[in-house]
Amino acid sequence: MTAYIIRRILLVIPTLFVIMVINFAIVQFAPGGPVEQVLAELQGTAISATARLGGQAGSETAVRPGQDGGETGGRYRGAQGLDPKFIKEIEKQFGFDKPAHERFLLMIGNYVTFNFGESYFRDESVVNLVLEKMPVSISLGLWTSLLVYMISIPLGVAKAVRDGSRFDVWSSSVVIVGNAVPAFLFAILLIVVFAGGRYLDWFPLRGLTSDNWVDLSWPARIVDYFWHLALPLLSLVIGSFATLTLLTKNSFLEEINKQFVVTARAKGLSENRVLYGHVFRNAMLIVIAGFPSAFIGILFTGSLLIEIIFSLDGLGLLGFEAVINRDYPVMFATMYFFTLMGLVLGIVNDIMYMLIDPRINFESQGA
């Protein structure tokens, strides 16, 4: 196992490098950039990321490239009438006076030491921004994963014990429908019904805590925290437990049909003793070992739109705004962070499989 872990850790380096190369190359061909963003702000045509979601992005394209005949300004929208020397100063400020390959190598060299630099437009270090937004995303990912496991495991066990019954058929229908509904669509429905959209006004619509959170007692802070998380968590959970429920059910069915279960029943053991003393321990190996991958999947795939809809200032929203505003240090740092965390948790996931079930040996499979 040690040799396998070492190989996986060593593979993180080239994998991370290739992913960053691809992302960097794609960004170079994307229209716009931090220089154009600054020029748009000078011209008064810059708009925020949230305004773009409202369909107001057309104003930035009012100035077409090539309207300025300057040697440098012609490359940028909104550069007409500006001194090319001034534009070169802006390029130098952002490091765009260097060729792309030099900028990439400099970025990778800094990232090796976790030096992510400063945000172009927030006047704050990228590390501080990530650490500031991380609690929101971690809260969503962690609590959603825990709730999904708390629902899926009992439901999967109940479906396995009642396999083929009406309960199994109806619960499968509910699970499949819930899995088919996008989280963001369910979030909008919850807002309309429960957050003052049209009917009830039971839950807050914005933020992770109330404005007076620091003045509350600790019990009141906990209640306030989960009061704000209720709708976002429900939106993420509703479509996330189908796969785990079916996996739990199938794992139980596989174990129930094995010979040792028949022997245990023949010895006169109660059904609960058979299920939870013998079957449960073996059936849950694959389910519990998959927790890291489930957590990272929920964190990556579900947080962005939910953070935007419920105005939760987390890593997903930070990365989205960085892409829209062409804030390259923040953009590449969030990519680097998510990619590295995904690769590390993938290794942790494999280690958990091998520790929980010694019969699993990735080395013998040529991994």
Side-chain angles (χ1 to χ4, degrees), residues 185-354:
L185 186 61
F186 193 71
I188 295 174
L189 176 63
L190 291 176
I191 290 174
V192 172
V193 177
F194 296 109
R198 183 167 183 179
Y199 299 102
L200 305 174
D201 191 9
W202 290 355
F203 296 93
L205 181 58
R206 302 175 63 86
L208 194 60
T209 56
S210 300
D211 294 335
N212 63 337
W213 189 80
V214 293
D215 300 325
L216 300 175
S217 62
W218 277 108
R221 288 184 181 184
I222 295 174
V223 172
D224 182 76
Y225 170 74
F226 284 106
W227 182 46
H228 283 77
L229 272 181
L231 296 187
L233 286 181
L234 185 57
S235 304
L236 289 172
V237 167
I238 195 67
S240 303
F241 63 88
T243 302
L244 187 59
T245 298
L246 297 179
L247 176 62
T248 303
K249 175 190 174 182
N250 293 334
S251 298
F252 254 77
L253 287 177
E254 183 180 355
E255 294 296 324
I256 287 174
N257 295 324
K258 288 185 177 179
Q259 184 62 40
F260 77 91
V261 177
V262 178
T263 303
R265 286 171 173 165
K267 289 181 178 181
L269 296 180
S270 64
E271 190 65 17
N272 286 338
R273 181 71 181 276
V274 172
L275 287 177
Y276 298 103
H278 294 76
V279 176
F280 186 85
R281 180 177 57 186
N282 293 330
M284 286 299 100
L285 292 177
I286 191 73
V287 176
I288 296 174
F291 181 82
S293 60
F295 169 72
I296 202 68
I298 292 172
L299 182 63
F300 284 170
T301 59
S303 62
L304 173 57
L305 288 176
I306 297 302
E307 287 180 12
I308 294 175
I309 292 172
F310 290 98
S311 299
L312 299 174
D313 198 7
L315 289 177
L317 185 57
L318 175 67
F320 172 75
E321 291 179 342
V323 172
I324 294 298
N325 296 326
R326 300 298 191 267
D327 195 344
Y328 288 169
V330 177
M331 184 195 313
F332 287 119
T334 52
M335 289 179 184
Y336 183 87
F337 171 76
F338 278 129
T339 304
L340 181 61
M341 187 164 63
L343 293 172
V344 171
L345 284 180
I347 298 175
V348 173
N349 191 62
D350 290 347
I351 293 174
M352 288 189 66
Y353 276 123
M354 290 186 288

